Amino acid sequence: MKLDVLQALRNPGTEYAFSAEQELAPQDVSGTEVTFDVVKLAGKLVAGEDGSVTVEGKLSTVAHAPCANCLAPAISTVEGDFRETFIHGGDPEDDESFAYNGGALDFDKLTLFYVLLNLPMRFLCEGGCEGLGQYAGADVTIGSEEDITTTLCQDELNVQRPFAALQQLLAEKSDNAEN
Ligand SMILES: [Zn+2]
């Protein structure tokens, strides 16, 4: 999506409201394909005397990916604030900054950056996971039927495992130190 900023450039310091919709291609996030609904952006933009254009606002979309536990389709609302300054005549391919040429801003990179920034760590399906069996042997206390889905969907076991391993490593180290 390209956003025309010619009017803003003619009136530096004046704020202009904008809203836009941006398509986002499927992304590979840590080996999982995540797809997106159209991303909606809204906010304001203001040009500087040097030809730079600062945009700020909010974006939102819905991301789709397999549930981390049972691989059923899962969705997550993605929302975030953005604020960036596009430098006129800069290199649009530069990863460190935002740049534009001519009289329009290209929102592809900004949209991708801020959507990924606000993406959840993991996707979890609603209404219970079918992959319950994989933790059948785990040492976990489950209070009630109602808690099962919540407990397993949060997958605290997986989260704690690396720390348990680290703790063991530290314990071994201190043992060695005593010898
Ligand atoms: Zn699930």
Side-chain angles (χ1 to χ4, degrees):
M1 186 220 59
K2 297 258 190 184
L3 189 69
D4 191 311
V5 292
L6 286 175
Q7 198 181 0
L9 288 169
R10 279 195 287 270
N11 300 289
T14 304
E15 288 182 351
Y16 291 89
F18 74 92
S19 61
E21 293 192 342
Q22 169 78 51
E23 299 273 353
L24 196 55
Q27 301 293 319
D28 183 327
V29 180
S30 307
T32 300
E33 187 183 69
V34 183
T35 60
F36 304 91
D37 291 352
V38 160
V39 184
K40 292 176 176 155
L41 303 99
K44 60 188 180 183
L45 63 89
V46 59
E49 294 287 351
D50 60 356
S52 66
V53 178
T54 299
V55 296
E56 70 175 294
K58 291 179 184 299
L59 60 72
S60 66
T61 186
V62 174
H64 304 254
C67 170
N69 284 346
C70 70
L71 301 182
I75 60 168
S76 176
T77 301
V78 179
E79 292 175 319
D81 297 328
F82 62 85
R83 186 180 196 281
E84 292 294 344
T85 297
F86 285 72
I87 308 297
H88 187 251
D91 178 7
E93 301 298 318
D94 182 359
D95 284 341
E96 302 293 312
S97 65
F98 288 89
Y100 78 103
N101 291 292
L105 308 184
D106 190 334
F107 270 50
D108 287 15
K109 190 168 90 173
L110 182 143
T111 304
L112 177 60
F113 181 82
Y114 279 94
V115 166
L116 293 182
L117 191 68
N118 291 286
L119 211 57
M121 292 294 285
R122 49 205 284 117
F123 285 76
L124 295 169
C125 65
E126 293 176 0
C129 291
E130 288 168 15
L132 295 178
Q134 60 182 306
Y135 297 124
D139 181 23
V140 57
T141 309
I142 295 170
S144 69
E145 286 279 314
E146 219 173 324
D147 289 338
I148 291 176
T149 305
T150 314
T151 306
L152 294 173
C153 261
Q154 282 174 351
D155 201 7
E156 288 174 351
L157 294 170
N158 260 358
V159 174
Q160 285 168 6
R161 242 175 239 135
F163 294 106
L166 185 67
Q167 243 166 12
Q168 196 179 350
L169 202 68
L170 290 172
E172 283 168 11
K173 270 197 171 181
S174 66
D175 279 354
N176 290 342
E178 281 165 24
N179 296 338

